[in-house]
Amino acid sequence: MILSLVLRGSIFALLWWALTEGNFDAWWLGGILIMVATEISRRLIPARTWPLIGLLRFIPFFIERSLISCVDVAWRALRPGLHIDPILIRYPLRLPEGFPRIFMANVVSLLPGTLAAELEGSDLFVHVLDSRSHYWRELTQLEQHVAQLSGAYLQATPGTAITGRQDCS
């Protein structure tokens, strides 16, 4: 519990330092806000343990996919004749309810050309910029990494996959 509070407080302090560009004059207010944010986060998100092997596998995956996503978006923005073929898909999650599904929904946007649109029960609706990309494989890999990170087991593979092409313009 104490370690969790120290870690949360450290993260909020680092965020405050970045937001204020290291200005020490702002720390009187920052100290108060850091304590309040730490307490709110403790109440809203209970402390949990992370399997070390899952964490060690997720961090490089997260960094790699984030960098690829940044390059992908920049490439699409700077390239003339923006080649996109948007589609809205329904990805049936195999993760258990609760934290693993919510974490997956929040992290899915780091994948190149994807954005979580809605989490409804065990279905995650994802907006994909280019239907010709390998989005399904990327979602499956992310789900496996989230399962390892949270120490969860994936449920049996659901039957349906795509809701069909939606007008995303």
Side-chain angles (χ1 to χ4, degrees):
M1 168 109 172
I2 298 295
L3 181 61
S4 173
L5 289 175
V6 169
L7 181 61
R8 292 169 196 243
S10 298
I11 290 170
F12 290 127
L14 184 62
L15 282 171
W16 183 259
W17 177 78
L19 288 172
T20 62
E21 298 177 350
N23 183 356
F24 287 107
D25 295 335
W27 278 98
W28 68 270
L29 177 61
I32 295 168
L33 293 175
I34 290 165
M35 287 188 289
V36 169
T38 301
E39 178 60 20
I40 290 172
S41 77
R42 183 190 66 80
R43 291 180 185 207
L44 292 177
I45 306 168
R48 56 181 296 117
T49 57
W50 300 87
L52 182 59
I53 191 74
L55 194 59
L56 291 175
R57 288 182 179 161
F58 186 78
I59 290 173
F61 174 78
F62 178 84
I63 292 170
E64 175 194 18
R65 302 319 299 164
S66 295
L67 291 174
I68 290 172
S69 183
C70 290
V71 170
D72 180 63
V73 170
W75 179 255
R76 290 176 193 273
L78 297 173
R79 205 169 72 187
L82 189 63
H83 299 288
I84 61 172
D85 186 22
I87 186 173
L88 183 66
I89 64 152
R90 180 176 65 86
Y91 183 81
L93 293 169
R94 297 173 294 154
L95 291 164
E97 288 186 32
F99 176 79
R101 286 186 186 174
I102 294 169
F103 188 77
M104 168 86 175
N106 286 314
V107 178
V108 75
S109 300
L110 75 89
L111 297 176
T114 59
L115 177 69
E118 184 177 354
L119 176 60
E120 186 178 291
S122 64
D123 293 326
L124 179 61
F125 292 88
V126 180
H127 180 267
V128 179
L129 272 181
D130 190 352
S131 64
R132 299 164 294 188
S133 67
H134 301 287
Y135 61 86
W136 200 264
R137 183 182 68 208
E138 297 273 347
L139 289 168
T140 303
Q141 285 177 347
L142 177 60
E143 188 176 33
Q144 291 168 349
H145 279 280
V146 170
Q148 289 176 347
L149 177 64
S150 62
Y153 293 100
L154 294 176
Q155 299 167 358
T157 306
T160 58
I162 299 179
T163 59
R165 184 167 299 281
Q166 302 288 323
D167 183 12
C168 298
S169 51

